[in-house]
Amino acid sequence: MIRNPDAHATRLGAARTLVEDILIPAEARMDAEDRMPQEARAALRAHGLFGISIPEAFGGLGLTMEEEAGLMLVLGRTAPAYRAVYALNSGGTAQILLRAGSDAQKSRWLPGLARGDLIACFCLSEPEAGSDAASLRTTARREGDTWRIDGRKRWVTNAPEAGMLMVMARTGGEGARGISAFAIDPATQGVRVQPAQGKMGMRGAQVADIVFEDCRVPADALVGAEGEGLKLALAGLDKVRLHLAALSAGLMERLLDEGRRHALGRRQFGKPLADQPAVAALLADSVAEALAARCMALELARARDDGTLRPADAAAAKLFATEALGRVADRVLQVHGGEGYMTGSAVERLYRDVRLLRILDGTSEIQRMVVARGLFSG
Ligand SMILES: Cc1cc2nc3c(=O)[nH]c(=O)nc-3n(C[C@H](O)[C@H](O)[C@H](O)COP(=O)(O)OP(=O)(O)OC[C@H]3O[C@@H](n4cnc5c(N)ncnc54)[C@H](O)[C@@H]3O)c2cc1C
């Protein structure tokens, strides 16, 4: 649903300028320094991107899913590490607060998240609990007026600059029903951020483990009812998966720009690569996949807005778009030949970055399980 077509078109135009004038020029520096450049962060804040889907009442943009997908098609045309920093604020974390938080929790956290003053972290994965999130072991025990949290969360995006932690911890018995959600201030005693080892891409979006040792948080840090945590976390996944499908389509379009430019400019055998049918075919296949991902993301975003989206469809869109993105990155690197393999080329950087999207927010294998469940259950 596009609420106001003129305002939407203006926002997309401003996002295109942001991508071209600020974000793409800062990509190489962000990768080299593993830090988001200040001017990029300031611009992302000025455009309201930390609050994409946080309601306007809390200072966010309050976009519908179709508006958000349209915006991600544009913002996908630059390094996805930018998105890892700003989008988590209005992604899983804010969605849990909006769905189940008390008025006091919403007004405490959401305005700062929407402005980008606070950076949110989503703390679900653990050393022994990745795809099988329901097996997590971090515990939260009620002791008087407090909850005592103990455990370790693995590879938490943005942990080194966290301003708010949404932590999934076990309050009850085994399995999904024993897990609850907590909104925690990272300055609380007993919270320790432990830098993780380096990673192959997405440099600029930092990742670390978070250790909780005898960490006492007030009783009202619990979000929603006891035992509802994993359900709440999974409820926001359809939205995240459509967001990633649109981002992936935008990334394919960026890679195609890079491939097109190189194929037109580089000459071999007396003519541009673009005139070599085998090279052109690599790009033609990529155009088809980018277009399919774009259409899927927009169509399903509309379905989410009108309440008809099925979880299996969101999983299928994430699966298709991120896998296609991997193929497109590989083909475009091939079109660049040796230049695509050398450090410093945009294609080499994007190739490393996009690999993560087939792992995050449910690996491709997990998406296939969700899609198959949808197929066989009805
Ligand atoms: C850079 C980075 C940032 C991250 N940020 C966050 C974050 O902010 N918050 C957070 O909570 N987590 C985060 N994660 C963790 C991420 O969510 C997990 O890596 C992901 O869920 C997969 O879990 P795993 O790595 O433990 O792999 P595993 O679960 O061990 O899986 C390994 C392989 O086995 C496959 N597999 C597992 N079970 C099955 C099955 N039943 N059927 C078929 N195949 C299966 C998987 O698909 C995968 O290919 C991040 C990870 C990275 C690398």
Side-chain angles (χ1 to χ4, degrees):
M1 185 202 340
I2 307 287
R3 293 162 305 167
N4 177 338
D6 289 343
H8 185 58
T10 304
R11 194 179 301 113
L12 296 188
R16 271 183 215 108
T17 306
L18 168 69
V19 167
E20 293 298 329
D21 292 357
I22 297 178
L23 302 183
I24 291 180
E27 280 177 358
R29 193 159 28 107
M30 178 164 70
D31 184 61
E33 297 174 1
D34 195 10
R35 182 187 308 277
M36 190 193 288
Q38 272 316 320
E39 74 276 14
R41 183 182 295 267
L44 293 168
R45 284 185 60 163
H47 283 252
L49 296 177
F50 286 87
I52 291 180
S53 53
I54 295 177
E56 286 160 307
F58 296 105
L61 297 180
L63 299 190
T64 65
M65 193 68 233
E66 187 179 357
E67 291 167 344
E68 180 173 339
L71 191 59
M72 294 322 296
L73 288 167
V74 175
L75 292 165
R77 300 177 76 94
T78 186
Y82 291 120
R83 174 263 164 205
V85 177
Y86 64 76
L88 264 62
N89 272 24
S90 50
T93 301
Q95 297 311 312
I96 290 178
L97 284 170
L98 286 164
R99 207 174 284 263
S102 63
D103 288 346
Q105 286 169 330
K106 289 179 191 164
S107 51
R108 173 170 181 195
W109 298 112
L110 290 174
L113 294 178
R115 285 192 302 270
D117 292 347
L118 292 176
I119 297 294
C121 290
F122 185 67
C123 309
L124 176 62
S125 305
E126 299 182 357
E128 305 303 327
S131 300
D132 182 14
S135 68
L136 65 81
R137 295 177 183 175
T138 295
T139 53
R141 294 192 180 86
R142 187 67 190 255
E143 293 185 358
D145 286 344
T146 62
W147 290 96
R148 176 189 158 157
I149 319 267
D150 291 279
R152 172 186 285 265
K153 293 295 176 179
R154 171 123 297 175
W155 301 324
V156 178
T157 302
N158 301 327
E161 54 175 329
M164 188 271 192
L165 307 176
M166 182 63 74
V167 180
M168 296 298 144
R170 189 165 298 287
T171 47
E174 294 296 300
R177 293 213 178 115
I179 296 171
S180 305
F182 294 87
I184 296 179
D185 180 346
T188 309
Q189 212 175 2
V191 177
R192 190 156 41 88
V193 175
Q194 248 187 14
Q197 70 267 39
K199 50 187 167 49
M200 72 184 270
M202 289 279 196
R203 291 168 56 79
Q206 304 205 342
V207 164
D209 280 10
I210 299 187
V211 181
F212 298 89
E213 265 168 357
D214 191 10
C215 167
R216 315 264 170 165
V217 297
D220 63 6
L222 176 70
V223 183
E226 254 186 86
E228 263 193 356
L230 198 62
K231 197 169 111 197
L232 286 169
L234 298 180
L237 271 184
D238 289 354
K239 178 173 166 51
V240 172
R241 288 173 178 165
L242 293 183
H243 172 108
L244 289 175
L247 179 89
S248 299
L251 276 158
M252 286 186 245
E253 291 171 5
R254 163 70 184 284
L255 283 158
L256 275 162
D257 283 351
E258 301 287 342
R260 182 172 175 277
R261 192 176 312 122
H262 187 79
L264 288 170
R266 169 87 172 158
R267 297 175 73 85
Q268 288 293 286
F269 300 98
K271 54 187 179 181
L273 292 177
D275 290 340
Q276 323 277 356
V279 176
L282 289 173
L283 294 177
D285 282 344
S286 302
V287 169
E289 292 197 292
L291 186 58
R294 165 182 275 269
C295 294
M296 238 176 165
L298 287 174
E299 175 74 16
L300 293 177
R302 277 179 219 119
R304 186 175 188 277
D305 285 337
D306 66 25
T308 57
L309 179 72
R310 299 178 324 146
D313 293 343
K318 197 259 183 188
L319 172 66
F320 175 78
T322 58
E323 290 285 332
L325 173 58
R327 291 189 290 274
V328 169
D330 192 65
R331 290 187 200 118
V332 170
L333 192 149
Q334 191 70 10
V335 167
H336 280 71
E339 191 182 314
Y341 190 74
M342 299 307 287
T343 304
S345 79
V347 173
E348 179 265 347
R349 217 173 39 241
L350 291 168
Y351 182 86
R352 287 186 282 111
D353 286 348
V354 303
R355 187 63 184 84
L356 183 65
L357 299 180
R358 288 149 67 187
I359 296 171
L360 272 191
D361 295 305
T363 62
S364 290
E365 291 71 27
I366 297 302
Q367 307 304 330
R368 288 188 185 98
M369 284 165 59
V370 178
V371 173
R373 209 179 295 140
L375 178 69
F376 296 122
S377 70

